[in-house]
Amino acid sequence: MHCLATEYPIIASNRGISQQVLFNGDVALITGAGRGIGRAIALCFAREGARIFLTGRDMDRLEQVAQEIRAAGGDAAAFLARRDPGR
């Protein structure tokens, strides 16, 4: 069962029927990944086989999410997003 709330097409071939793979080692860049919807998307995409680049404003939270993903066997790296100092 996919963690996304959509249906994926079933692929039929002469070798049988299989469910389409959502990600297969593709890289996903998730902004706001330290909490809320961004975190949920990062965890979901990781479960679906994506390699995750996490960005956000709180490095501690990003590292926690990256650790969750790695602990579950996924691949994740955290990067701090900084505001323009001129603002």
Side-chain angles (χ1 to χ4, degrees):
M1 180 76 160
H2 289 282
C3 59
L4 301 177
T6 58
E7 294 292 323
Y8 296 101
I10 300 296
I11 299 172
S13 72
N14 59 0
R15 292 177 293 213
I17 297 174
S18 63
Q19 192 166 16
Q20 184 177 355
V21 174
L22 184 58
F23 297 109
N24 187 16
D26 294 330
V27 174
L29 172 64
I30 310 295
T31 60
R35 61 187 176 144
I37 293 171
R39 178 181 174 274
I41 291 170
L43 295 172
C44 175
F45 281 21
R47 280 193 300 272
E48 295 293 337
R51 297 171 56 215
I52 309 296
F53 282 17
L54 307 164
T55 64
R57 295 179 292 173
D58 186 331
M59 192 61 169
D60 291 335
R61 287 180 187 249
L62 294 171
E63 283 297 338
Q64 288 174 357
V65 177
Q67 282 290 62
E68 284 182 68
I69 291 170
R70 289 191 289 262
D75 186 10
F79 300 92
L80 188 62
R82 298 185 183 182
R83 286 188 59 189
D84 180 0
R87 289 179 125 178

